[in-house]
PDB file of all heavy atoms in Angstrom:
ATOM      1  N   GLY A   3    -149.738 -70.915  37.573  1.00 55.00           N
ATOM      2  CA  GLY A   3    -148.397 -70.946  38.155  1.00 55.00           C
ATOM      3  C   GLY A   3    -148.403 -70.674  39.638  1.00 55.00           C
ATOM      4  O   GLY A   3    -147.648 -71.271  40.391  1.00 55.00           O
ATOM      5  N   GLU A   4    -149.265 -69.764  40.087  1.00 58.00           N
ATOM      6  CA  GLU A   4    -149.357 -69.459  41.509  1.00 58.00           C
ATOM      7  C   GLU A   4    -149.835 -70.667  42.297  1.00 58.00           C
ATOM      8  O   GLU A   4    -149.323 -70.971  43.354  1.00 58.00           O
ATOM      9  CB  GLU A   4    -150.312 -68.290  41.731  1.00 58.00           C
ATOM     10  CG  GLU A   4    -149.791 -66.978  41.184  1.00 58.00           C
ATOM     11  CD  GLU A   4    -150.803 -65.867  41.304  1.00 58.00           C
ATOM     12  OE1 GLU A   4    -151.805 -66.052  42.024  1.00 58.00           O
ATOM     13  OE2 GLU A   4    -150.598 -64.824  40.681  1.00 58.00           O
ATOM     14  N   ARG A   5    -150.801 -71.361  41.776  1.00 61.00           N
ATOM     15  CA  ARG A   5    -151.324 -72.554  42.458  1.00 61.00           C
ATOM     16  C   ARG A   5    -150.256 -73.636  42.518  1.00 61.00           C
ATOM     17  O   ARG A   5    -150.100 -74.301  43.524  1.00 61.00           O
ATOM     18  CB  ARG A   5    -152.564 -73.065  41.726  1.00 61.00           C
ATOM     19  CG  ARG A   5    -153.130 -74.314  42.336  1.00 61.00           C
ATOM     20  CD  ARG A   5    -154.571 -74.102  42.693  1.00 61.00           C
ATOM     21  NE  ARG A   5    -155.135 -75.341  43.182  1.00 61.00           N
ATOM     22  CZ  ARG A   5    -155.545 -75.488  44.433  1.00 61.00           C
ATOM     23  NH1 ARG A   5    -155.466 -74.498  45.269  1.00 61.00           N
ATOM     24  NH2 ARG A   5    -156.056 -76.619  44.830  1.00 61.00           N
ATOM     25  N   GLN A   6    -149.513 -73.822  41.453  1.00 60.00           N
ATOM     26  CA  GLN A   6    -148.447 -74.825  41.414  1.00 60.00           C
ATOM     27  C   GLN A   6    -147.370 -74.498  42.450  1.00 60.00           C
ATOM     28  O   GLN A   6    -146.868 -75.370  43.122  1.00 60.00           O
ATOM     29  CB  GLN A   6    -147.840 -74.908  40.009  1.00 60.00           C
ATOM     30  CG  GLN A   6    -146.821 -76.003  39.849  1.00 60.00           C
ATOM     31  CD  GLN A   6    -147.406 -77.393  40.026  1.00 60.00           C
ATOM     32  OE1 GLN A   6    -148.567 -77.636  39.729  1.00 60.00           O
ATOM     33  NE2 GLN A   6    -146.613 -78.295  40.520  1.00 60.00           N
ATOM     34  N   ASP A   7    -147.012 -73.213  42.581  1.00 61.00           N
ATOM     35  CA  ASP A   7    -146.030 -72.816  43.577  1.00 61.00           C
ATOM     36  C   ASP A   7    -146.518 -73.125  44.984  1.00 61.00           C
ATOM     37  O   ASP A   7    -145.764 -73.580  45.825  1.00 61.00           O
ATOM     38  CB  ASP A   7    -145.721 -71.323  43.465  1.00 61.00           C
ATOM     39  CG  ASP A   7    -144.960 -70.987  42.189  1.00 61.00           C
ATOM     40  OD1 ASP A   7    -144.376 -71.913  41.598  1.00 61.00           O
ATOM     41  OD2 ASP A   7    -144.958 -69.808  41.790  1.00 61.00           O
ATOM     42  N   TYR A   8    -147.794 -72.899  45.240  1.00 66.00           N
ATOM     43  CA  TYR A   8    -148.369 -73.173  46.550  1.00 66.00           C
ATOM     44  C   TYR A   8    -148.285 -74.660  46.870  1.00 66.00           C
ATOM     45  O   TYR A   8    -147.928 -75.038  47.972  1.00 66.00           O
ATOM     46  CB  TYR A   8    -149.826 -72.707  46.592  1.00 66.00           C
ATOM     47  CG  TYR A   8    -150.543 -73.097  47.854  1.00 66.00           C
ATOM     48  CD1 TYR A   8    -150.264 -72.465  49.065  1.00 66.00           C
ATOM     49  CD2 TYR A   8    -151.494 -74.112  47.857  1.00 66.00           C
ATOM     50  CE1 TYR A   8    -150.907 -72.818  50.227  1.00 66.00           C
ATOM     51  CE2 TYR A   8    -152.146 -74.474  49.018  1.00 66.00           C
ATOM     52  CZ  TYR A   8    -151.852 -73.822  50.191  1.00 66.00           C
ATOM     53  OH  TYR A   8    -152.491 -74.190  51.343  1.00 66.00           O
ATOM     54  N   VAL A   9    -148.585 -75.499  45.906  1.00 68.00           N
ATOM     55  CA  VAL A   9    -148.518 -76.945  46.116  1.00 68.00           C
ATOM     56  C   VAL A   9    -147.081 -77.361  46.390  1.00 68.00           C
ATOM     57  O   VAL A   9    -146.819 -78.181  47.266  1.00 68.00           O
ATOM     58  CB  VAL A   9    -149.103 -77.700  44.903  1.00 68.00           C
ATOM     59  CG1 VAL A   9    -148.857 -79.188  45.032  1.00 68.00           C
ATOM     60  CG2 VAL A   9    -150.584 -77.410  44.757  1.00 68.00           C
ATOM     61  N   ASP A  10    -146.116 -76.785  45.681  1.00 83.00           N
ATOM     62  CA  ASP A  10    -144.722 -77.134  45.899  1.00 83.00           C
ATOM     63  C   ASP A  10    -144.265 -76.738  47.299  1.00 83.00           C
ATOM     64  O   ASP A  10    -143.563 -77.496  47.962  1.00 83.00           O
ATOM     65  CB  ASP A  10    -143.836 -76.463  44.851  1.00 83.00           C
ATOM     66  CG  ASP A  10    -144.033 -77.056  43.465  1.00 83.00           C
ATOM     67  OD1 ASP A  10    -144.543 -78.194  43.382  1.00 83.00           O
ATOM     68  OD2 ASP A  10    -143.688 -76.387  42.477  1.00 83.00           O
ATOM     69  N   VAL A  11    -144.672 -75.574  47.776  1.00 85.00           N
ATOM     70  CA  VAL A  11    -144.311 -75.133  49.121  1.00 85.00           C
ATOM     71  C   VAL A  11    -144.938 -76.066  50.148  1.00 85.00           C
ATOM     72  O   VAL A  11    -144.307 -76.436  51.142  1.00 85.00           O
ATOM     73  CB  VAL A  11    -144.756 -73.665  49.347  1.00 85.00           C
ATOM     74  CG1 VAL A  11    -144.628 -73.280  50.804  1.00 85.00           C
ATOM     75  CG2 VAL A  11    -143.958 -72.735  48.469  1.00 85.00           C
ATOM     76  N   LYS A  12    -146.151 -76.484  49.910  1.00 87.00           N
ATOM     77  CA  LYS A  12    -146.839 -77.404  50.812  1.00 87.00           C
ATOM     78  C   LYS A  12    -146.102 -78.740  50.876  1.00 87.00           C
ATOM     79  O   LYS A  12    -145.915 -79.298  51.961  1.00 87.00           O
ATOM     80  CB  LYS A  12    -148.268 -77.595  50.313  1.00 87.00           C
ATOM     81  CG  LYS A  12    -149.194 -78.234  51.274  1.00 87.00           C
ATOM     82  CD  LYS A  12    -150.597 -78.230  50.695  1.00 87.00           C
ATOM     83  CE  LYS A  12    -151.584 -78.929  51.565  1.00 87.00           C
ATOM     84  NZ  LYS A  12    -152.920 -78.952  50.995  1.00 87.00           N
ATOM     85  N   LYS A  13    -145.666 -79.243  49.727  1.00 89.00           N
ATOM     86  CA  LYS A  13    -144.924 -80.510  49.690  1.00 89.00           C
ATOM     87  C   LYS A  13    -143.597 -80.384  50.416  1.00 89.00           C
ATOM     88  O   LYS A  13    -143.212 -81.273  51.181  1.00 89.00           O
ATOM     89  CB  LYS A  13    -144.674 -80.945  48.247  1.00 89.00           C
ATOM     90  CG  LYS A  13    -145.863 -81.533  47.560  1.00 89.00           C
ATOM     91  CD  LYS A  13    -145.503 -81.987  46.161  1.00 89.00           C
ATOM     92  CE  LYS A  13    -146.694 -82.538  45.421  1.00 89.00           C
ATOM     93  NZ  LYS A  13    -146.342 -82.962  44.065  1.00 89.00           N
ATOM     94  N   VAL A  14    -142.902 -79.289  50.198  1.00 91.00           N
ATOM     95  CA  VAL A  14    -141.610 -79.086  50.855  1.00 91.00           C
ATOM     96  C   VAL A  14    -141.794 -79.028  52.365  1.00 91.00           C
ATOM     97  O   VAL A  14    -141.036 -79.640  53.124  1.00 91.00           O
ATOM     98  CB  VAL A  14    -140.925 -77.800  50.327  1.00 91.00           C
ATOM     99  CG1 VAL A  14    -139.724 -77.434  51.184  1.00 91.00           C
ATOM    100  CG2 VAL A  14    -140.502 -77.987  48.876  1.00 91.00           C
ATOM    101  N   ALA A  15    -142.801 -78.315  52.826  1.00 91.00           N
ATOM    102  CA  ALA A  15    -143.067 -78.221  54.264  1.00 91.00           C
ATOM    103  C   ALA A  15    -143.389 -79.597  54.841  1.00 91.00           C
ATOM    104  O   ALA A  15    -142.930 -79.945  55.934  1.00 91.00           O
ATOM    105  CB  ALA A  15    -144.203 -77.251  54.529  1.00 91.00           C
ATOM    106  N   LEU A  16    -144.151 -80.401  54.096  1.00 92.00           N
ATOM    107  CA  LEU A  16    -144.493 -81.747  54.553  1.00 92.00           C
ATOM    108  C   LEU A  16    -143.246 -82.621  54.654  1.00 92.00           C
ATOM    109  O   LEU A  16    -143.061 -83.347  55.633  1.00 92.00           O
ATOM    110  CB  LEU A  16    -145.512 -82.378  53.601  1.00 92.00           C
ATOM    111  CG  LEU A  16    -146.008 -83.763  53.981  1.00 92.00           C
ATOM    112  CD1 LEU A  16    -146.731 -83.729  55.320  1.00 92.00           C
ATOM    113  CD2 LEU A  16    -146.917 -84.298  52.896  1.00 92.00           C
ATOM    114  N   TYR A  17    -142.369 -82.538  53.654  1.00 95.00           N
ATOM    115  CA  TYR A  17    -141.133 -83.318  53.682  1.00 95.00           C
ATOM    116  C   TYR A  17    -140.228 -82.889  54.835  1.00 95.00           C
ATOM    117  O   TYR A  17    -139.623 -83.726  55.509  1.00 95.00           O
ATOM    118  CB  TYR A  17    -140.379 -83.213  52.359  1.00 95.00           C
ATOM    119  CG  TYR A  17    -141.052 -83.967  51.232  1.00 95.00           C
ATOM    120  CD1 TYR A  17    -141.219 -83.373  49.984  1.00 95.00           C
ATOM    121  CD2 TYR A  17    -141.525 -85.257  51.404  1.00 95.00           C
ATOM    122  CE1 TYR A  17    -141.831 -84.058  48.945  1.00 95.00           C
ATOM    123  CE2 TYR A  17    -142.139 -85.942  50.374  1.00 95.00           C
ATOM    124  CZ  TYR A  17    -142.287 -85.344  49.149  1.00 95.00           C
ATOM    125  OH  TYR A  17    -142.894 -86.017  48.130  1.00 95.00           O
ATOM    126  N   ILE A  18    -140.141 -81.594  55.082  1.00 95.00           N
ATOM    127  CA  ILE A  18    -139.324 -81.099  56.200  1.00 95.00           C
ATOM    128  C   ILE A  18    -139.879 -81.617  57.526  1.00 95.00           C
ATOM    129  O   ILE A  18    -139.126 -82.063  58.396  1.00 95.00           O
ATOM    130  CB  ILE A  18    -139.252 -79.562  56.188  1.00 95.00           C
ATOM    131  CG1 ILE A  18    -138.402 -79.106  55.006  1.00 95.00           C
ATOM    132  CG2 ILE A  18    -138.700 -79.024  57.497  1.00 95.00           C
ATOM    133  CD1 ILE A  18    -138.407 -77.612  54.773  1.00 95.00           C
ATOM    134  N   LEU A  19    -141.193 -81.588  57.676  1.00 93.00           N
ATOM    135  CA  LEU A  19    -141.819 -82.098  58.893  1.00 93.00           C
ATOM    136  C   LEU A  19    -141.548 -83.591  59.057  1.00 93.00           C
ATOM    137  O   LEU A  19    -141.221 -84.056  60.154  1.00 93.00           O
ATOM    138  CB  LEU A  19    -143.320 -81.833  58.861  1.00 93.00           C
ATOM    139  CG  LEU A  19    -144.115 -82.312  60.070  1.00 93.00           C
ATOM    140  CD1 LEU A  19    -143.671 -81.577  61.329  1.00 93.00           C
ATOM    141  CD2 LEU A  19    -145.595 -82.109  59.835  1.00 93.00           C
ATOM    142  N   LEU A  20    -141.645 -84.341  57.976  1.00 94.00           N
ATOM    143  CA  LEU A  20    -141.390 -85.776  58.022  1.00 94.00           C
ATOM    144  C   LEU A  20    -139.944 -86.073  58.419  1.00 94.00           C
ATOM    145  O   LEU A  20    -139.688 -86.939  59.260  1.00 94.00           O
ATOM    146  CB  LEU A  20    -141.707 -86.413  56.664  1.00 94.00           C
ATOM    147  CG  LEU A  20    -141.516 -87.912  56.557  1.00 94.00           C
ATOM    148  CD1 LEU A  20    -142.464 -88.642  57.502  1.00 94.00           C
ATOM    149  CD2 LEU A  20    -141.740 -88.372  55.128  1.00 94.00           C
ATOM    150  N   VAL A  21    -139.001 -85.334  57.848  1.00 95.00           N
ATOM    151  CA  VAL A  21    -137.587 -85.524  58.193  1.00 95.00           C
ATOM    152  C   VAL A  21    -137.351 -85.191  59.660  1.00 95.00           C
ATOM    153  O   VAL A  21    -136.642 -85.913  60.368  1.00 95.00           O
ATOM    154  CB  VAL A  21    -136.687 -84.665  57.277  1.00 95.00           C
ATOM    155  CG1 VAL A  21    -135.266 -84.617  57.798  1.00 95.00           C
ATOM    156  CG2 VAL A  21    -136.706 -85.219  55.859  1.00 95.00           C
TER     157      VAL A  21
END
Side-chain angles (χ1 to χ4, degrees):
E4 292 175 13
R5 178 124 176 114
Q6 185 64 31
D7 291 341
Y8 173 73
V9 172
D10 290 340
V11 169
K12 194 174 177 181
K13 283 182 182 179
V14 169
L16 182 62
Y17 288 134
I18 290 172
L19 180 63
L20 181 63
V21 168

